[in-house]
Structure formats: structure tokens, C-alpha cells
Amino acid sequence: MRVAGLVSLPVLPLAWFVGLQEHPVWMPIAYLAYFLVVIAIPGTMFWRRLTGGTGWFAVDAVLGTAFGLAVEALVYPIGMLFSMPFAALLMPALAVGMIRALPRTPRAQRPTPWWATAGVMVAVGAAAAWFVRTGSQLIPLHGPAALRPNSDAPHNLAIAGELTHHFPPRLPYADGQWLTGHWAAYDHIASSHWITSIPLDVLTHRIVPFAWILLTVVGAAAVGMVLTGRAVAAPIAAGLTVAAGELTSWPWAVSDRVFSDGPFALGQLTNPPQAFSTVLLLPLIAVTALLLRRQPGRAPRAHVFRLLVAAAVLIAALALTKATTLPVYGAGLAAAWVYLTVRRGRLNLRGLLLGLGGAAAYVLTFFVVLRGTESSVLLDPGRTFDWLADRMGGGSAVAVIAAVVVIGWVMPAVGALLIRSRVRRDPLPAFLVVGLLAAVAAASLLYDEGGAQLFFVRTGFLYGVLLATWGLSSLERKQYWVAAVALLIGAAAIYWGRYRSPDSCTSTNCFGQGLAVALVIAVLGIGLFGLILRGSRRTWAVIAVAVLLGTTVSPTLVSVREFATPSLTEYESIAPGGIEAARFIRRNSGSNDRIATNVHCHKPSTTRCLAGSYWIAGYAERRVLVQGWAYRTRVDDTYPGKPQSDYWDQEKLRLNDEVFANPTRELLETLRTKYGVQWLLLDDRVTQPPKNLDRLTDLRFELGNVRVYQLYPPPPA
């Protein structure tokens, strides 16, 4: 039987190469070598020396790898401040130095059973299969389809290019203002690009998202083992991460990507900060468990201090990564701290220090990274459900939609009903339950035009998976076959509700019918299965909870069929020849060169101008004087007759556009000397090239609809 565990281990590297089979083989090899030598091995050394380890080497290796990413996210910007983009290569030396400087904390080691490893590898294989069929198809990299992306993919590429060449970062597509957004996720992309030479678009849209998806699957398995102390939690957590990838129970999740809240979703691929925050949150939950579970006075102060250092590194990295993660974590931590303080009758200093550290990191990020920028997320209770109702055409069914959505979000919390071990002494169940409820409350009470409030629920996904894992891991051995059958009943119920009830749903106000059908079938299944077994009260509880958890099964298989085509615009937002032109500028320019362009709207030659074009800054990896500026809004082209919003420097915009309409030597020299512009990129779909532009500049590149000109100093008098 142990042979099965050993045979399953190669599934992980095999899945890696299969998932990236569309690229030259040197790319996955180069990234994997970098990931192992610079991130995984040093990160594991950091993790084991700071935390003392969890008792399972496999768990330490997984959580240590995620910890290594957090260290890299902090090391890379420090290196860039001193013009050292290869600073991450110092991490192995730093890890060796820590090993020699800090004493080793002895801890009994436990082997990971073969069946636990094999179960996790099955989930890894499923994740790779999904990525090959669906995930890798959602953002085209080549061919005509690559010219029709929405605004998210070029925006991510532009930010990655900015972090690759500049720090502190500015808006690369509208140079002149500081980047007031979270950027730590792009540190890893930029560092990987410097060290491996893999093209930035391949890293941003393929290799790095796939690596983070796999790390999320194995990371959830590792944290499940830490929380429960049982190896059986590993395959359960990994399986739920894949199978319950969406905390939704309504039928429209199959056809609308907005409601995809797990790792197997378009949002996880087009939002690197969300994917990266998911990876970093897992070791932070594990460190929190190690800290809060230790009895006061029984652990050496030095060990507690090292645990706090590990937590501080993860909190700092998360504060720089995603704004929605730390509030959810803080809500759960507050509940755990109150529980421990009330139960023990004295202040719990460890929980208090964690909370203060998280609050300090959040405040510091607001003033230093975000520079005090006012958030677009507003307190507007219930507006989220109005927005969903409008999108679904059921404006009069807001109450039904709200109930359906909230039930789907909180359903995994029922797993807490099966948790038995150490509940009265362990604050972690309260931490997970309150964290999940806080995520749901935030998404329900806050509102943003771009749907940013939904990222709270996407953060809460982990809490729901871990609660369900903990509950199912608390069963006795003979109860697992009962739970397995009950899970299948729940999956069948939601399948029937999702895909069968719409056949009889003819009005726009029957949005709750799918969930109602699923719940009725689930209740009937619980009753019938329970009567057949005639079990104890505990058996009935196992059946009920497992059936309800089964209803959260993600339509992963259906998504392979429904979502295998990219989410593209009907028009070419990138000009034919534009990608090649931008890469020509990148090859022939310095990192501080600037580009001026006549491209501003996502859709060229239209009266509805969404100023959300970022592809030049992304593919050229250079700052653009004025390209797009609607970086907080999705593409919808609903602004007739004018741009979506006014640019903040109208004089600069006027000068930029005048160069492409009526260029003069004085205008070009002003661009070159005052704003540092060395290149002009013109899309003839927007404006035709002026006749005298060839005479005043040097035409360097021409392909498709794009021309590239280079500016030179005027000849001497």
C-alpha cells in the first residue's frame, strides 16, 4: 500500500508539465527550478525554524513554500529600491544564516500516511485537468483572440511590467501619479521574470496562476491537518477545494462568471492579488492556530516570539496584497481572542498582539501604499443584491435573490456542527465561523460598481472549506461511508436543482426555484437515508451535514463545457500589429523611456469611450504618458458621447492628442524634454497619421494598424 503513496507523488510534477504543455518546455522547467531553489527550500527552512514545525514534514514543506512567497514579496521591493532586481536570490543564504543563528526547536515528527498523500494527488490531478481544459483557455496569449481581451488581463500585465522595472510604482498607463493599489502579488511575477527570463505575459496569465492554484489545493490540505491533527483532513480539504470551488447554490452560477468564488474561476485567474492572498492566508491561519492553542507559560518565550515574527511577515505581505483579506481574518481573530479571554478569565496577549499587528499593517498600508486614497467601496446595505437582481433581469425578486445568495455563501458553515474534539478549549472553530460570517456580511453591507465587495466572499471561501473539512474529519472510521453516500445525495440534489428546474421556470421571478428544488430533494434524501440506516443521533447529524455540504459542489465539470471559451469582447481592443509594436519598443528602449499614444478608449472609434486601455504599457513594459485611466471600472461601454471620466491633467491630455492631430516641432520637443517621451505609438483606427509626422520623427516600425515613431533631439542650428 505504501507503494501507492510513492507512486502518487509524481502526479504533482506531471500535473505541472501537463498543465503548461502549450509552452516551450524550458519555461515550466526554468520556473520550477526557480520556485524550488529560491522559494520552496528557503521558505521551508524559514518556516520550520521560526514555528518549530507542525510535526509533519510534508505539511511544513507546503506551508513553508507559501511562507517563502511572503518573504519574497517583502524582499523584492527592498532590492528594487537599491536597483537589485535579483534580490530574491539572497533568500537561500538568508535561510542558511537563520538555521545557523537560531537554535532548533525539538518536535516529534509523524509520517504522512500514503493514502493521505494519494488523495491529495487525486485533487491535484483534477486541478491540472481543469486548468488544461478551461483555465488556460480563458485568456488567449496568441492569435486573433489575443487582440480581444477585456480590461483585466492587460491591466494586470501593465502592473507586472511596472513592478518589473520601477519601484516605488506609478500608474504605467497614465504616468504621473503613484500607483494606489496593492501590488505585492506582482512582486513574484516580476522577480520570476528577472531570474528565469520567461516572458511576462506567460508568467502573468499562465504559469504563476497555475502555480498558485496548485499551492492552494495542497495548502488547504496542510492547514486541514494542522487544525484537526488528523491526516484524513488532507484529502478531504484538497477534494473540497476542487469540488466545492464555489460557495453557491443557485443555477445561474453555471452561466455567469461573477459568482465564481473559488480557485476554479475566472476571477482567480484575472485577479492575481486575490489568488496570491489565498495562498498567503493559509500559512497565516496555521500560525494563528499554533499561537492561540499553546497554553500560557508552557511554551518558551523565544518560541512564542518566533511564531509572532512568522505571523508578522505573513500579515505584512497580506496587507500589501489584497484589501479584503485582513478584515476577514481580523474578525475571526477578534472572536477567538474574546473566546479565550472570557474562558480563561484573563487577557490573551498573543491574540491581542496578532490583532494589533494586523491593524497596524492595515493602517500603514493605507497611508504608505494606498496614499490615503478614498476607497470606491461604500456602505450600502443590500445594494449588492439589487445589483445582482439587475444583472439577472429579476429586479422585483431582490429578496429571493438575497436569500438564495446568502444561503449558498454560508452553507459550508454547517460543517462546524460535526466538530467534536477540543471544541471547549479550542478557539479555532469560533475563528473560522466568525470569519466566514464576516465575509458574507461585508459582501452584503458594502457595494462597489465593479463588484469589489464580492472579494470578501472569495476570501471566506477558505474558511468554509476548512470548517467543512474539520467537521468531516471528526468522524469515526465507520461513519465515512455514510458521509460519502450523503455527500453524493447532496451533489445530486444541487445538480437537479441547477440543471433541471430551469426547464419549468418560465418567468423572470423564479430565481429561488433551483435552490428550493435542491433543498427539497436534500431533505427527502436525509430522511430516506436516515430511516434506512436507523442510526443514532450522531448518524443523523452526519447524514444531514454531509448532504448539505454536498449541495455546495461546484459545477466544475459543467464549467469545463460552458467556460472553455474565453471571455472576449466583440471588437479588437488591441490593434492588429499592436502587440508586436509594443514588443519592438521594449527591445529597443530603456526602462525609463516613455511612450505617447493616441489610444485611450478600450473600443476604438466609438462614441462610448471607456478609457480603460492598458495593453501598450503591458506589452512594452514601459510607462505611457496618457493611455487609459479608468482602471477601477470594468468594460461596459455605457458612456455615450464622451469618455467615462475626465483625465486629471487636461493640459497634458490636450498636448498628447495634439501631437497625433497636428504635430509641430515645438510640440514634439515639449513632449521629449518636459515629459521624457521617446516613442510615439499610433493606431490608425483612432486617427490617421498626420502627413508631416514622418518628416518630424523617425518611423521605426509599421505593422497592421500600428506605427511606431522615435523622437530625437533637433539637429543643431
Side-chain angles (χ1 to χ4, degrees):
M1 288 299 187
R2 292 184 182 274
V3 176
L6 295 175
V7 170
S8 67
L9 286 177
V11 169
L12 189 56
L14 182 62
W16 174 253
F17 288 102
V18 169
L20 300 173
Q21 59 184 305
E22 64 174 313
H23 305 290
V25 69
W26 73 266
M27 292 184 183
I29 290 177
Y31 181 85
L32 185 60
Y34 165 76
F35 196 77
L36 291 176
V37 175
V38 179
I39 304 298
I41 295 176
T44 303
M45 296 167 69
F46 285 132
W47 173 267
R48 286 174 66 85
R49 193 47 55 99
L50 287 174
T51 66
T54 61
W56 289 285
F57 177 78
V59 171
D60 291 336
V62 172
L63 298 179
T65 299
F67 188 81
L69 288 171
V71 174
E72 181 200 38
L74 302 180
V75 167
Y76 177 78
I78 296 175
M80 287 295 291
L81 285 174
F82 297 96
S83 300
M84 297 172 55
F86 299 95
L89 292 176
L90 297 174
M91 287 176 55
L94 293 175
V96 172
M98 175 173 286
I99 291 293
R100 294 179 64 87
L102 296 180
R104 181 179 180 181
T105 303
R107 187 179 181 88
Q109 295 294 314
R110 290 175 286 179
T112 303
W114 68 267
W115 46 265
T117 303
V120 173
M121 291 302 106
V122 170
V124 166
W130 176 88
F131 188 81
V132 170
R133 182 65 180 90
T134 303
S136 63
Q137 308 300 317
L138 294 176
I139 303 177
L141 296 182
H142 309 288
L147 303 179
R148 297 188 289 118
N150 60 19
S151 61
D152 289 335
H155 178 265
N156 292 328
L157 189 59
I159 302 301
E162 174 69 7
L163 267 297
T164 299
H165 300 286
H166 302 97
F167 194 86
R170 291 180 179 269
L171 294 178
Y173 37 79
D175 188 21
Q177 284 199 356
W178 295 107
L179 176 63
T180 55
H182 294 81
W183 38 257
Y186 303 96
D187 289 350
H188 175 66
I189 297 173
S191 181
S192 302
H193 175 64
W194 276 109
I195 296 174
T196 65
S197 299
I198 299 173
L200 209 58
D201 58 337
V202 177
L203 284 169
T204 305
H205 302 317
R206 289 291 188 276
I207 293 181
V208 171
F210 185 42
W212 287 344
I213 285 175
L214 295 181
L215 196 53
T216 298
V217 174
V218 296
V223 177
M225 292 176 66
V226 172
L227 293 177
T228 65
R230 303 185 67 182
V232 71
I236 294 176
L240 289 176
T241 303
V242 174
E246 297 160 357
L247 307 184
T248 57
S249 297
W250 56 94
W252 351 298
V254 177
S255 59
D256 198 314
R257 295 176 179 87
V258 160
F259 305 111
S260 299
D261 300 322
F264 299 88
L266 182 63
Q268 198 81 354
L269 294 171
T270 60
N271 196 290
Q274 175 62 32
F276 193 52
S277 67
T278 302
V279 172
L280 297 184
L281 184 59
L282 288 164
L284 181 58
I285 292 175
V287 170
T288 303
L290 295 176
L291 269 169
L292 298 185
R293 282 174 168 175
R294 293 185 179 274
Q295 296 296 323
R298 294 187 180 181
R301 291 185 178 179
H303 188 205
V304 173
F305 176 77
R306 292 200 292 269
L307 283 170
L308 290 172
V309 169
V313 170
L314 292 165
I315 287 173
L318 274 171
L320 298 173
T321 300
K322 190 69 178 175
T324 56
T325 306
L326 282 183
V328 175
Y329 171 79
L333 183 63
W337 177 77
V338 170
Y339 176 84
L340 288 175
T341 299
V342 172
R343 179 165 180 79
R344 295 174 180 172
R346 61 177 183 176
L347 201 64
N348 185 272
L349 292 179
R350 298 174 189 176
L352 182 62
L353 288 174
L354 283 176
L356 292 176
Y362 204 80
V363 171
L364 188 64
T365 301
F366 177 75
F367 287 106
V368 176
V369 178
L370 305 182
R371 300 178 183 270
T373 304
E374 184 179 356
S375 174
S376 59
V377 180
L378 305 174
L379 179 63
D380 194 348
R383 180 72 183 280
T384 295
F385 306 115
D386 291 334
W387 178 64
L388 296 179
D390 292 338
R391 289 177 63 88
M392 295 303 156
S396 61
V398 176
V400 175
I401 289 177
V404 172
V405 170
V406 171
I407 290 174
W409 281 342
V410 302
M411 188 69 78
V414 300
L417 299 176
L418 296 181
I419 300 176
R420 294 176 58 179
S421 61
R422 303 190 300 171
V423 169
R424 295 182 179 179
R425 304 187 303 273
D426 196 337
L428 270 299
F431 168 83
L432 295 175
V433 170
V434 174
L436 177 60
L437 295 179
V440 173
S444 304
L445 299 177
L446 302 176
Y447 178 73
D448 175 73
E449 289 290 343
Q453 74 278 9
L454 294 178
F455 284 103
F456 285 103
V457 173
R458 289 165 186 159
T459 299
F461 161 79
L462 277 180
Y463 293 78
V465 165
L466 294 175
L467 280 170
T469 298
W470 200 340
L472 295 176
S473 301
S474 300
L475 304 180
E476 299 175 6
R477 181 175 298 182
K478 61 183 180 180
Q479 293 175 326
Y480 278 108
W481 75 268
V482 176
V485 174
L487 285 170
L488 292 176
I489 293 174
I494 193 61
Y495 177 86
W496 188 269
R498 270 195 186 121
Y499 310 123
R500 300 304 179 191
S501 60
D503 295 340
S504 58
C505 184
T506 57
S507 69
T508 59
N509 296 326
C510 57
F511 291 103
Q513 180 174 329
L515 183 63
V517 170
L519 291 180
V520 168
I521 296 175
V523 170
L524 292 176
I526 292 170
L528 182 61
F529 192 36
L531 290 175
I532 292 175
L533 293 182
R534 296 182 180 181
S536 61
R537 235 182 242 184
R538 175 70 175 174
T539 302
W540 277 93
V542 170
I543 295 173
V545 170
V547 168
L548 292 178
L549 291 178
T551 61
T552 67
V553 66
S554 167
T556 303
L557 294 178
V558 175
S559 76
V560 171
R561 182 176 71 250
E562 299 286 341
F563 299 164
T565 56
S567 175
L568 302 176
T569 57
E570 296 179 354
Y571 52 87
E572 292 177 333
S573 58
I574 299 177
I579 296 177
E580 293 81 0
R583 288 172 174 167
F584 171 83
I585 296 176
R586 184 190 66 202
R587 292 192 302 269
N588 294 276
S589 63
S591 60
N592 292 322
D593 283 12
R594 283 179 174 82
I595 306 170
T597 182
N598 64 338
V599 178
H600 304 308
C601 304
H602 193 269
K603 182 178 182 179
S605 303
T606 178
T607 58
R608 298 186 177 97
C609 178
L610 172 66
S613 181
Y614 317 112
W615 60 270
I616 299 175
Y619 286 102
E621 299 176 28
R622 301 293 181 262
R623 289 173 174 172
V624 184
L625 185 65
V626 182
Q627 185 182 1
W629 56 88
Y631 55 93
R632 289 180 178 170
T633 307
R634 296 180 182 275
V635 174
D636 54 14
D637 295 337
T638 57
Y639 310 95
K642 63 182 182 66
Q644 171 208 8
S645 58
D646 293 330
Y647 186 60
W648 51 79
D649 190 337
Q650 286 296 308
E651 177 59 25
K652 183 190 295 185
L653 180 61
R654 185 199 64 78
L655 176 65
N656 179 93
D657 292 347
E658 186 68 17
V659 166
F660 294 95
N662 186 24
T664 64
R665 174 66 64 188
E666 291 74 17
L667 283 175
L668 293 172
E669 190 63 10
T670 301
L671 275 187
R672 192 185 67 83
T673 57
K674 184 177 180 179
Y675 296 109
V677 173
Q678 289 84 22
W679 301 85
L680 304 179
L681 190 150
L682 183 144
D683 182 354
D684 62 20
R685 301 177 304 168
V686 180
T687 57
Q688 287 297 313
K691 294 181 179 179
N692 60 339
L693 193 57
D694 289 347
R695 180 175 56 85
L696 297 173
T697 63
D698 185 11
L699 178 61
R700 296 289 308 277
F701 184 91
E702 184 175 5
L703 182 66
N705 296 97
V706 177
R707 294 187 178 192
V708 174
Y709 303 86
Q710 188 169 6
L711 302 185
Y712 292 103

